C-alpha cells in the first residue's frame, strides 16, 4: 500500500474519508472548507486535545487502532462530562511522510469505531506532514436544552460519586513501563479506555450539581472541581473501588491515575443513585481535597516534565 | 518570566486564559471539560488545521504574535468560506518545556486579536509538552439560517470572481527563502495574511453558487471547486490581479501561491458584484482548470514532500 508520502495528501484524505461513515448529525462532512454539524440546542459544546507521540502514546506499546479509540474516547468523555450528547469529532493528523498509509487507516478505523460507540461521527479534519505523529482532536456535542454540568456547581453537603474504572490505565502503564505485558486487562485498559458514556445523561437525570471526567487522576481532578466550586472534597478511601487486580499500589493508582476517563460528580445529599455509581465522599465548606482527613497522595500527570 | 516548564501546565493556562477576552457568543469559556458556544442557527460550522513548526511557520521568520494572527486567520477564513460568521476558536498548543512563557503569551495575543477582527473569541483549548511547537486550531461559526456555501454549487455559465490578495504571501515566502527582507509589504503578507472576512456575507448576498478560501493556491483550490461542482473553470490570466510589487514571477505567484486566504467564488452570469470582487473567469461544461485555454502552471503546496 505504501507510505502516506507515496499516496500524497489528497490520496491519503480520500483513503481516510472513505472509512468515516457520517451519522445524521453531520449535515456536511469532509471535503469542503468546513463541516456543518447539527446543534439543535442552539449552543454547541466544544473541546480539543493534542496527543503527541512519545508523551501521550507510544507506537511500540499501542497499535494504531487503539490509539485512535483512546484519542476519540478522551475527547468524547469531555463532552459527556458537560452533560452533553457527542455529535462529531474533527481530527488533525500530523505524521512523517514515511508512515505507512495502512497505519493511518487503522488509526481512523479506531477513531470512527469509538465515535460509533458514543453516537458521534468524524466529520472533518486536516492531514499534514511533520517530524513526529501528533493528533489534534476536537469533539462537539449538544446539550439538548439542559444547563451544562460544569465543575463549579458543587455545594457543601453534596455527595461525591464516581462511575467507571479508576486506576486501571495507570496500573497498565506502570506494567508497560516495567517491561511487563500482563495482566492483560490492565494493559488493555491503558491502551483503550472505556468511558461509560451514559454517565452524563445519568448524572443529569439524578440532579448532579457538578461533573467532570477523570483524565489527570481522581484527586487532581476533584481538586479542580473543589476549586471551581469553592468547596472541600473529602474522600473516604475505603469507599473508593480498588479491585484486587490493581495490585499492592491499587489505591494509589485509583487516587492518582488518569486516563481511564471515569466520571466524578457531586449530587444533592438525598440523591438516590443507580448502582453503577459509587459514593466515595462528601463536599464540605473549605478548600482542597482530603483523603481520610489527610493531604492526598500526589503523583499526577505533569504535562511539562523538566 | 521564565519558561513554560517553569510556570507549569496550570500556570501557563492561567497566564494565557487571562489574555483571551470572551465575546457574547461564548456561554462558557476556558476552565471546564469543554466550552459552550452559541449556535443560534441550530447547526455549527466547524473546521480544524494543524500548524507544525518548520513546515507551516518558522520562528526565525515570524514572531509569535504574527504566527498567532496567521494561525487564527487561516481557520477563520475557512468558516467565512462557508458563508458563516465565525464565533469561536479552540486552540491546542504543543511546545517544548524550554519555550519562553512570554513567547506563548504573544502567540495568544495574536490569536485573540485576529479573532477580534473577525468577531470571534478563543473559547478553549489544550496545552501540552512536545519536542516541537505545533498549533491545532479549530474554528466554529454560525450560518444565520442560510445554506452553507459549498464547493459543489458552481454551474456552467457562472462567473468566477476573487476577493482579496493573491500571490503576496508566496512572493514574501520566496523572498525569505532567498535570504531577502523586502519589499516589506510582501514579507508582511507572508507573516500575517489579511483575509477579507466580509467576503462570506458579500458572496452570499450576491447569490454565490460556490465559495472557498484560497489556501493552497488559486489554480489548485479552483481545481477542487471544479471537481466538486463537476465543471471546468476557465481563467483569463489578464484579468487576474497582479500588482507590480509581485515582481517578474507575479502571475505565477498569483496563480499558484497559497496562504493569502483570498476568497474565490462562482456567481450567476447576471450577478452585479461589488468593486472589491474581480471577475477572473467562467465556469463551463467539462472538468479541471484552464488558464488562457491551456493546462495551468503547477507549483502548489505539497503537504508530504519526500
Amino acid at each position: 500500500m505504501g507510505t502516506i508520502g507515496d499516496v500524497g495528501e489528497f490520496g491519503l484524505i480520500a483513503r481516510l474519508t472513505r472509512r468515516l461513515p457520517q451519522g445524521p448529525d453531520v449535515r456536511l462532512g469532509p471535503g469542503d472548507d468546513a463541516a456543518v454539524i447539527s446543534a439543535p440546542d442552539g449552543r454547541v459544546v466544544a473541546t480539543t486535545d493534542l496527543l503527541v507521540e512519545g508523551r501521550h502514546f507510544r507506537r511500540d506499546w499501542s497499535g494504531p487502532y487503539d490509539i485512535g479509540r483512546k484519542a476519540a474516547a478522551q475527547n468524547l468523555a469531555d463532552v459527556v462530562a458537560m452533560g452533553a450528547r457527542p455529535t462529531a469529532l474533527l481530527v488533525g493528523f500530523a505524521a512523517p511522510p514515511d508512515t505507512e498509509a495502512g497505519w493511518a487507516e487503522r488509526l481512523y478505523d479506531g477513531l470512527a469505531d469509538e465515535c460509533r460507540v458514543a453516537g458521534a461521527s468524524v466529520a472533518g479534519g486536516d492531514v499534514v506532514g511533520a517530524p513526529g505523529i501528533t493528533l489534534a482532536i476536537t469533539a462537539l456535542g449538544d446539550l439538548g436544552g439542559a444547563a451544562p454540568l460544569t465543575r463549579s456547581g458543587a455545594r457543601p453537603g453534596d455527595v461525591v460519586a464516581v462511575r467507571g474504572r479508576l486506576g486501571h490505565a495507570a496500573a497498565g502503564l506502570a506494567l508497560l513501563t516495567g517491561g511487563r505485558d500482563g495482566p492483560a486487562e490492565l494493559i488493555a485498559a491503558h491502551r483503550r479506555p472505556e468511558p461509560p458514556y451514559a454517565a452524563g445523561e445519568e448524572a443529569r437525570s439524578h440532579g448532579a450539581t457538578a461533573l467532570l471526567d477523570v483524565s489527570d487522576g481522581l484527586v487532581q481532578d476533584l481538586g479542580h472541581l473543589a476549586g471551581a466550586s469553592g468547596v472541600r472534597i473529602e474522600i473516604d478511601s475505603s469507599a473508593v473501588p480498588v479491585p484486587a487486580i490493581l495490585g499492592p499500589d491499587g489505591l494509589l493508582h485509583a487516587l492518582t491515575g488518569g486516563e481511564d476517563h471515569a466520571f466524578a460528580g457531586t449530587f444533592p445529599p438525598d440523591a438516590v443513585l443507580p448502582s453503577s455509581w459509587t459514593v466515595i465522599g462528601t463536599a464540605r465548606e473549605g478548600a482542597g481535597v482530603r483523603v481520610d482527613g489527610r493531604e492526598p497522595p500526589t503523583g499526577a500527570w505533569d504535562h511539562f516534565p523538566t
Side-chain angles (χ1 to χ4, degrees), chain A:
Chain A
M1 180 181 298
T3 67
I4 62 179
D6 295 334
V7 302
E9 178 191 1
F10 296 108
L12 181 62
I13 290 172
R15 279 166 185 269
L16 299 179
T17 301
R18 199 180 298 149
R19 313 178 88 81
L20 302 174
Q22 300 298 316
D25 285 310
V26 181
R27 308 290 190 90
L28 182 69
D32 220 295
D33 291 286
V36 181
I37 297 138
S38 63
D41 174 84
R43 298 165 295 178
V44 63
V45 170
T47 180
T48 199
D49 274 339
L50 270 173
L51 293 93
V52 178
E53 181 175 15
R55 297 258 176 170
H56 302 98
F57 62 89
R58 282 176 53 160
R59 274 190 278 176
D60 54 338
W61 284 357
S62 295
Y65 181 80
D66 282 345
I67 292 170
R69 292 286 299 250
K70 184 173 184 166
Q74 73 177 65
N75 283 275
L76 295 164
D78 278 330
V79 168
V80 167
M82 302 303 291
R85 175 181 68 83
T87 52
L89 289 193
L90 303 175
V91 177
F93 174 55
D98 65 0
T99 307
E100 287 296 320
W103 193 93
E105 290 185 342
R106 289 190 296 280
L107 174 79
Y108 277 70
D109 285 343
L111 291 163
D113 281 355
E114 190 69 22
C115 277
R116 201 172 290 121
V117 172
S121 310
V122 179
D126 188 25
V127 300
V128 302
I133 293 184
T134 299
L135 281 166
I137 314 277
T138 297
L140 305 177
D142 190 73
L143 285 161
L149 287 174
T150 67
R151 300 172 170 200
S152 57
R155 297 161 302 198
D158 283 352
V159 297
V160 179
V162 296
R163 166 119 163 66
R165 298 184 302 205
L166 294 170
H168 287 62
L173 179 60
L175 292 170
L176 287 167
T177 306
R180 296 175 55 191
D181 63 357
E185 181 185 339
L186 298 179
I187 305 286
H190 163 73
R191 289 186 176 139
R192 192 193 301 178
E194 295 181 2
Y197 294 117
E201 175 56 31
E202 286 175 6
R204 208 160 76 174
S205 66
H206 288 83
T209 53
L211 187 69
L212 50 62
D213 92 300
V214 181
S215 51
D216 292 337
L218 182 65
V219 163
Q220 182 170 338
D221 287 318
L222 285 177
H224 299 153
L225 190 154
S229 295
V231 299
R232 180 164 74 215
I233 300 287
E234 298 187 346
I235 299 173
D236 171 6
S237 73
S238 70
V240 175
V242 184
I245 196 172
L246 291 182
D249 295 326
L251 180 62
L252 186 67
H253 284 315
L255 291 174
T256 65
E259 297 204 297
D260 284 299
H261 301 288
F263 295 90
T266 53
F267 296 85
D270 57 355
V272 179
L273 297 176
S275 62
S276 50
W277 289 79
T278 305
V279 173
I280 61 162
T282 315
R284 301 287 183 198
E285 303 269 359
V289 177
R290 294 289 177 280
V291 177
D292 304 335
R294 292 190 295 271
E295 280 288 325
T298 57
W301 175 253
D302 180 357
H303 284 272
F304 294 111
T306 48

